[in-house]
Amino acid sequence: MSTPPQPGAAFLLAQVGAHAAARFAERISEVGVDPPDVGLLRMIASQPGRSQQSLAEQLGVVPSRVVVLVDGLQRRGLVERRRNPQDRRNHALHLTAEAEQVMTRIRELASTHESDICAALDDHQRAQLTELLGAIAAQQGLTPGVHPGYRRP
Amino acid sequence: MSTPPQPGAAFLLAQVGAHAAARFAERISEVGVDPPDVGLLRMIASQPGRSQQSLAEQLGVVPSRVVVLVDGLQRRGLVERRRNPQDRRNHALHLTAEAEQVMTRIRELASTHESDICAALDDHQRAQLTELLGAIAAQQGLTPGVHPGYRRP
DNA sequence: TATTGTTATACTCTATAACTATA
DNA sequence: TATAGTTATAGAGTATAACAATA
């Protein structure tokens, strides 16, 4: 007797999660950034002046990867590296004025994205889903706001 | 006034989904395969004798990628390519006896994985989550059982 | 001429390790 | 000597396009 291919919650999570991530990537390509960029921009926005090392640590990523990501954002004029006069080794990261506008647009896109992905659910179900996922995330020890797309070094 | 970083359902989906996928990849590494391998093995198991073209189409992937994946599975002794005497251009794909055993083990690992990922939920909540995710998957037009990790060509 | 599968090639992403400059 | 950041390099994964065999 063969096992019927009834996907469980874990497979559905991976499937729907990857779909949601891919659709989000499509949307934000409008402003010329990709999901890792957005993660970094959000972290810099919430704590301006952070060093690349501290970002690497929180993301669970090797510092040389942050260099590449920040290079890209700097080329696009979204992030500034400012030498810290107290310790000229480290770079304080700040968003540019343009980045503030871009972040506003990203928040709009994220909101549309949210509605799109949850189009099958009513408000109650959406709240329920958020609660269930939040419980899993907490129990699994996921860092709030940090996407595991950044891999551990 | 700054927007509080309250992650919505879409972000949680992407975050938890990527986590689930990564954990599953760890588990199945025990039998020397990775998630794309498992997807292919499952498809061949449910419809033995399929051609590489038909797999490529269902996965939404370029045929040359299927070549590489099947090469790997063949090297590991899990898949056989059999020339079709009627049309000697195409290769009918079949699982080996070893692959049947490996699939049994993978099903065990998937079951453990499922319990692990849903450890924060009781049975009722787990059923609820599965239902909500199923509704999203259907409304978003996702192919049942096909992980979007295989990208569209 | 069209189709199945393959190879050759190139591009992207990411990690490792060596290196520079500051401390 | 230790630390922040950078560069150079290599490996994995994947797509594109040219190609071989068969129809």
Side-chain angles (χ1 to χ4, degrees):
Chain A
M1 194 162 73
S2 75
T3 306
Q6 277 282 40
F11 179 84
L12 282 166
L13 268 173
Q15 184 190 33
V16 176
H19 170 74
R23 295 274 296 156
F24 183 64
E26 281 173 22
R27 284 187 189 282
I28 60 176
S29 70
E30 170 195 306
V31 290
V33 296
D34 61 17
D37 289 336
V38 172
L40 220 57
L41 287 172
R42 284 196 170 124
M43 289 170 71
I44 299 171
S46 72
Q47 295 179 45
R50 295 186 62 164
S51 74
Q52 298 183 187
Q53 288 282 347
S54 82
L55 287 177
E57 216 166 285
Q58 183 175 344
L59 291 172
V61 150
V62 91
S64 67
R65 182 154 182 225
V66 177
V67 172
V68 178
L69 289 169
V70 173
D71 281 351
L73 292 172
Q74 196 172 37
R75 259 198 311 277
R76 281 156 219 244
L78 299 179
V79 164
E80 275 178 22
R81 285 172 160 114
R82 299 192 197 147
R83 282 277 179 210
N84 178 341
Q86 268 73 50
D87 183 343
R88 294 178 38 74
R89 284 175 306 182
N90 81 49
H91 279 148
L93 300 178
H94 294 269
L95 297 191
T96 62
E98 186 190 349
E100 305 289 359
Q101 297 178 330
V102 166
M103 288 305 286
T104 298
R105 180 67 184 140
I106 288 174
R107 278 186 283 269
E108 290 169 7
L109 291 169
S111 170
T112 308
H113 171 65
E114 176 89 11
S115 306
D116 171 18
I117 292 298
C118 295
L121 312 182
D122 61 31
D123 285 357
H124 174 65
Q125 291 174 314
R126 196 183 300 199
Q128 223 170 25
L129 176 63
T130 307
E131 192 185 318
L132 295 170
L133 293 174
I136 294 179
Q139 189 274 329
Q140 293 284 311
L142 299 181
T143 307
V146 175
H147 192 288
Y150 304 95
R151 293 181 191 153
R152 291 121 209 89
Chain B
M1 196 160 76
S2 76
T3 306
Q6 277 283 38
F11 180 84
L12 282 166
L13 268 173
Q15 184 191 31
V16 176
H19 170 75
R23 295 274 295 155
F24 183 65
E26 281 172 23
R27 284 187 189 281
I28 60 175
S29 71
E30 170 196 305
V31 289
V33 297
D34 61 16
D37 290 337
V38 173
L40 220 56
L41 289 173
R42 285 196 168 126
M43 289 170 70
I44 298 171
S46 72
Q47 297 178 44
R50 294 187 62 165
S51 73
Q52 298 183 187
Q53 287 283 345
S54 83
L55 287 178
E57 217 167 283
Q58 182 175 344
L59 291 171
V61 150
V62 92
S64 66
R65 184 157 180 223
V66 176
V67 173
V68 178
L69 289 169
V70 174
D71 280 351
L73 291 172
Q74 197 173 36
R75 259 197 312 275
R76 281 155 220 246
L78 300 179
V79 165
E80 276 179 21
R81 284 171 162 116
R82 299 191 196 145
R83 282 278 179 210
N84 179 343
Q86 269 71 49
D87 183 343
R88 295 178 38 75
R89 285 174 305 181
N90 81 49
H91 279 149
L93 301 178
H94 294 268
L95 296 192
T96 63
E98 186 189 350
E100 305 288 359
Q101 297 178 331
V102 166
M103 288 305 287
T104 298
R105 180 67 185 139
I106 287 175
R107 278 186 284 270
E108 290 170 8
L109 291 169
S111 169
T112 309
H113 171 65
E114 176 89 11
S115 305
D116 170 19
I117 292 298
C118 295
L121 312 182
D122 61 33
D123 286 357
H124 174 65
Q125 291 175 315
R126 196 184 297 200
Q128 222 170 27
L129 176 64
T130 307
E131 192 186 318
L132 294 171
L133 293 174
I136 294 179
Q139 189 273 328
Q140 294 283 310
L142 300 181
T143 307
V146 176
H147 192 287
Y150 304 96
R151 296 185 188 150
R152 291 122 211 89

